[in-house]
């Protein structure tokens, strides 16, 4: 990869010897008394953040955790999370950020896969962590309990751990291309994979998307419903606001509409990050606030493509455009995005400066505008590899290019339109159908809150399109509504794309980051017809 990415308007690469945490703390020192973080129990200034990060790094060294060894980070979004993550980077230790909503079996797999030397675990998650640890057969030598007033005999409180040694004065001399942290894929298509990112990855996402698209300012108050363990949330609630000197609101609980609106109003949030399913739920919530009750100036959506209807309705109600974009765990953050002043709902916008994208056929040849192709990305924030997965690493990281697994169409004006995941695409009557396109049409109906479309094989061996639909409060699924929805889609799309079957459900299976798990619906269909 070239030191400076193609088409980049001037972002300088980091030096060869580079520690992101050390660089961040040095540059953010000018914001000393400004609040960096606010959670449900307190706040932390930039000066306080720097001190705690250095103390946590010193605690790791005092505990015998060495550079390049791994720290299992299983914690809710509180003040302790960014301290632990940045403290590990400062010490050259590799934090493994873990989803807080998994099962014992999931954690046992992740512990066996990552083989951590130390762990930071929220007190509420200790029971499931201990079960997983026993099941995995692993030994974690240093266990730190986050957000607690006391600790068990085999663990230390976060405060006590940070007080083990005098704050580290200098960051460990890591290289820009050293492994810095792991992020597990969300599991929307099966078993999660560990993307290994470098210190430089964080530098580049801020230099390219953070500064040139998002453009946060020190006076901004930022709130991300996407959690810090998610690649999207890590940029939203750590990299971008800390590099800009802004204030970030953290919330440990799940982002229900009521909880989100409470934070947006109470903290006068100016920049909000959500996912499409949450934006739809916010608009359908009984407590939807008036435009002048909030201080929003910019909103962002990622995780999945934002339906045209949802984005337009949110912007009309709050007078604030939603910048829809796509990123990935493998690329760390958004690489295709709508821009302030240039928003086309129903599209994912254009490439972020410093990134190049290509659409290719299955044989690798380029596709023409208007044709569906596989999305490939070239950019400096790409992960090094998937840990201990040579086959998947080779399939995904192909020289300078990363294969996303997503299908897209490029329109004549240069905007990209999402067509679905490669393994979600359907072929009906010999023609490709994008599940996302059908879902978007269904969500334009006033009774529909969410929709997920899959293919099922009928008795004749032909693929039939089936939609699972969640209705808005006050609506009831019945045969007449099913027929109405089919006609609604036929009026908006080519007739062969309408769903032949519709099933009304109370909820759709999703990852913790809000992505719909269509493979779970396919498994459900297979079980029914086996």
């Amino acid at each position: 990869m070239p030191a400076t990415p193609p088409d980049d308007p001037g972002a300088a690469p980091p030096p060869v010897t580079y520690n992101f945490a050390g660089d961040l703390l040095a540059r953010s020192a000018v914001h000393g008394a400004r609040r960096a973080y606010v959670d449900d129990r307190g706040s932390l200034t930039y000066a306080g953040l720097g001190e705690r990060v250095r103390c946590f790094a010193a605690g790791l060294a005092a505990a015998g955790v060495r550079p390049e060894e791994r720290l299992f980070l299983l914690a809710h979004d509180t003040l302790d999370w960014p301290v632990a993550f940045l403290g590990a980077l400062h010490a050259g230790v590799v934090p493994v950020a873990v989803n807080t909503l998994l099962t014992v079996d999931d954690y046992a797999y992740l512990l066996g896969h990552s083989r951590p030397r130390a762990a930071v675990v929220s007190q509420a998650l200790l029971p499931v962590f201990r079960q997983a640890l026993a099941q995995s057969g692993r030994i974690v030598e240093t266990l730190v309990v986050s957000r607690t007033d006391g600790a068990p005999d085999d663990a230390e409180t976060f405060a006590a751990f940070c007080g083990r040694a005098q704050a580290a004065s200098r960051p460990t001399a890591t290289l820009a291309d050293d492994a810095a942290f792991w992020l597990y894929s969300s599991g929307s298509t099966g078993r999660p994979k560990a993307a290994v990112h470098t210190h430089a990855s964080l530098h580049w996402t801020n230099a390219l998307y953070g500064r040139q698209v998002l453009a946060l300012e020190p006076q901004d108050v930022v709130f991300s419903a996407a959690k810090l363990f998610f690649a999207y949330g890590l940029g939203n609630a750590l990299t971008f606001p800390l590099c800009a000197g802004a204030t970030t609101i953290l919330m440990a609980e799940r982002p229900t509409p009521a909880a989100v609106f409470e934070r947006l109003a109470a903290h006068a949030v100016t920049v909000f990050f959500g996912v499409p399913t949450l934006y739809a739920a916010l608009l359908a919530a009984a407590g939807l606030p008036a435009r002048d009750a909030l201080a929003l100036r910019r909103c962002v959506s990622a995780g999945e493509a934002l339906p045209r209807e949802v984005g337009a309705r949110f912007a009309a109600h709050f007078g604030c455009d939603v910048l829809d974009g796509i990123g990935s765990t493998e690329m760390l953050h958004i690489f295709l995005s709508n821009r302030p002043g240039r928003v086309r709902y129903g599209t994912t916008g254009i490439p972020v400066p410093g990134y190049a994208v290509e659409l290719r056929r299955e044989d690798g040849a380029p596709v023409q505008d208007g044709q569906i192709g596989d999305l490939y990305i070239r950019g400096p924030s790409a992960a090094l590899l998937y840990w201990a997965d040579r086959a998947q690493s080779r399939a995904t990281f192909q020289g300078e290019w990363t294969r996303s697994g997503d299908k897209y169409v490029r329109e004549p004006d240069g905007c990209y339109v999402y067509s679905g995941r490669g393994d979600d695409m359907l072929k009906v009557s010999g023609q490709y159908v994008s599940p996302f396109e059908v879902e978007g049409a269904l969500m334009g109906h006033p009774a529909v809150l969410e929709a997920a479309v899959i293919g099922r094989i009928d008795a004749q061996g032909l693929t039939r399109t089936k939609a699972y639909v969640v209705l808005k409060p006050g609506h009831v699924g019945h045969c007449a509504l099913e027929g109405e929805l089919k006609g609604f889609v036929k009026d908006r799309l080519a007739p062969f794309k309408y769903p032949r079957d519709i099933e009304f459900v109370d909820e759709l299976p999703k990852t913790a980051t809000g992505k719909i798990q269509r493979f779970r619906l396919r498994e459900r269909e297979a079980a029914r017809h086996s």
Side-chain angles (χ1 to χ4, degrees):
M1 188 71 213
T4 301
D7 304 321
D8 175 40
V16 173
T17 300
Y18 179 74
N19 183 297
F20 177 79
D23 179 43
L24 176 67
L25 295 187
R27 290 190 290 113
S28 64
V30 297
H31 304 297
R34 183 183 293 275
R35 292 191 305 177
Y37 283 106
V38 178
D39 71 6
D40 295 335
R41 292 193 183 183
S43 63
L44 194 58
T45 66
Y46 274 88
L49 175 66
E51 179 67 15
R52 288 198 194 180
V53 166
R54 294 183 180 95
C55 286
F56 188 87
L60 288 172
V65 184
R66 296 167 294 189
E68 300 185 13
E69 293 182 328
R70 289 176 287 281
L71 169 77
F72 201 74
L73 181 51
L74 174 59
H76 293 128
D77 282 20
T78 69
L79 302 181
D80 292 345
W81 203 105
V83 169
F85 182 86
L86 292 170
L89 295 187
H90 197 278
V93 173
V94 178
V96 178
V98 179
N99 185 331
T100 59
L101 298 172
L102 301 181
T103 65
V104 169
D105 287 345
D106 292 326
Y107 291 131
Y109 168 77
L110 298 181
L111 284 163
H113 186 251
S114 62
R115 304 189 295 276
R117 179 80 180 274
V120 172
V121 182
S122 287
Q123 186 174 36
L125 298 170
L126 272 177
V128 68
F129 174 78
R130 283 208 173 90
Q131 293 177 57
L133 196 61
Q135 185 173 314
S136 72
R138 300 296 307 172
I139 295 175
V140 172
E141 298 175 13
T142 301
L143 176 59
V144 182
V145 183
S146 170
R147 191 47 67 91
T148 177
D149 297 323
D153 293 339
D154 61 345
E156 285 186 85
T157 65
F158 201 87
F161 186 79
C162 289
R164 271 183 175 229
Q166 186 176 357
S169 59
R170 293 183 180 180
T172 298
T174 53
L175 301 180
D177 286 340
D178 272 344
F181 60 100
W182 294 12
L183 293 175
Y184 278 95
S185 60
S186 62
S188 59
T189 57
R191 182 70 92 178
K193 301 179 289 293
V196 180
H197 276 285
T198 67
H199 284 267
S201 293
L202 294 162
H203 164 88
W204 283 121
T205 55
N206 180 64
L208 301 179
Y209 178 83
R211 290 211 309 257
Q212 299 182 51
V213 176
L214 188 59
L216 292 180
E217 300 170 356
Q219 62 267 31
D220 276 318
V221 178
V222 174
F223 175 55
S224 174
K227 299 299 185 181
L228 281 159
F229 65 76
F230 181 27
Y232 177 45
L234 181 66
N236 304 342
L238 189 146
T239 313
F240 307 144
L242 292 185
C243 286
T247 299
T248 301
I249 309 304
L250 296 177
M251 181 176 74
E253 65 184 281
R254 297 192 70 170
T256 62
V260 169
F261 284 139
E262 178 184 347
R263 271 70 178 187
L264 294 179
H267 298 285
V269 169
T270 59
V271 180
F272 172 65
F273 299 86
V275 296
T277 51
L278 178 57
Y279 280 107
L282 293 174
L283 288 169
L288 183 68
R291 175 186 297 194
D292 59 5
L294 303 182
L296 295 174
R297 75 172 185 89
R298 184 155 298 159
C299 293
V300 178
S301 180
E304 285 196 308
L306 181 71
R308 183 194 313 269
E309 174 74 10
V310 174
R313 285 177 54 217
F314 193 93
H317 182 84
F318 288 108
C320 176
D321 271 326
V322 183
L323 306 183
D324 185 29
I326 181 176
S328 68
T329 304
E330 293 77 9
M331 295 303 296
L332 189 55
H333 211 270
I334 292 171
F335 50 79
L336 265 179
S337 181
N338 283 270
R339 309 289 179 80
R342 184 181 175 178
V343 174
R344 265 194 65 199
Y345 290 115
T347 80
T348 316
I350 60 177
V352 169
Y355 292 90
V357 301
E358 288 185 357
L359 299 183
R360 304 177 187 175
R361 298 187 322 209
E362 290 182 4
D363 62 5
V367 302
Q368 302 299 313
D369 284 356
Q371 297 178 339
I372 295 175
D374 292 309
L375 180 68
Y376 286 74
I377 313 101
R378 183 179 67 199
S381 63
L384 293 171
L385 75 164
Y386 295 127
W387 184 260
D389 197 334
R390 185 179 181 88
Q392 284 296 321
S393 294
R394 283 182 165 182
T396 299
F397 305 106
Q398 302 178 7
E400 293 186 345
W401 294 90
T402 300
R403 183 180 183 275
S404 71
D406 294 300
K407 298 277 190 179
Y408 263 86
V409 172
R410 185 181 186 273
E411 299 200 331
D413 67 352
C415 288
Y416 287 77
V417 178
Y418 183 66
S419 294
R421 295 286 298 176
D423 46 8
D424 289 332
M425 291 295 292
L426 308 173
K427 204 165 193 179
V428 179
S429 302
Q431 302 178 79
Y432 276 113
V433 175
S434 162
F436 181 76
E437 185 181 21
V438 182
E439 292 162 7
L442 284 166
M443 290 179 66
H445 191 281
V448 175
L449 176 62
E450 294 178 332
V453 171
I454 64 168
R456 75 173 185 84
I457 307 300
D458 66 14
Q460 288 73 45
L462 301 175
T463 299
R464 292 170 61 93
T465 311
K466 177 170 182 177
Y468 288 82
V469 172
V470 179
L471 297 174
K472 293 177 181 176
H475 295 273
V476 179
H478 47 69
C479 291
L481 180 57
E482 181 178 349
E484 182 180 331
L485 291 176
K486 290 178 180 179
F488 187 81
V489 175
K490 284 183 181 179
D491 289 343
R492 285 155 177 78
L493 303 178
F496 72 90
K497 296 181 179 181
Y498 86 94
R500 269 56 170 185
D501 302 296
I502 295 178
E503 181 175 337
F504 297 105
V505 295
D506 293 332
E507 61 181 358
L508 297 173
K510 298 173 188 170
T511 69
T513 55
K515 291 183 181 180
I516 296 170
Q517 295 176 309
R518 293 172 186 81
F519 77 96
R520 297 291 185 199
L521 298 175
R522 291 194 290 268
E523 289 173 351
R524 183 185 304 180
E525 284 296 317
R528 285 177 176 175
H529 298 284
S530 61

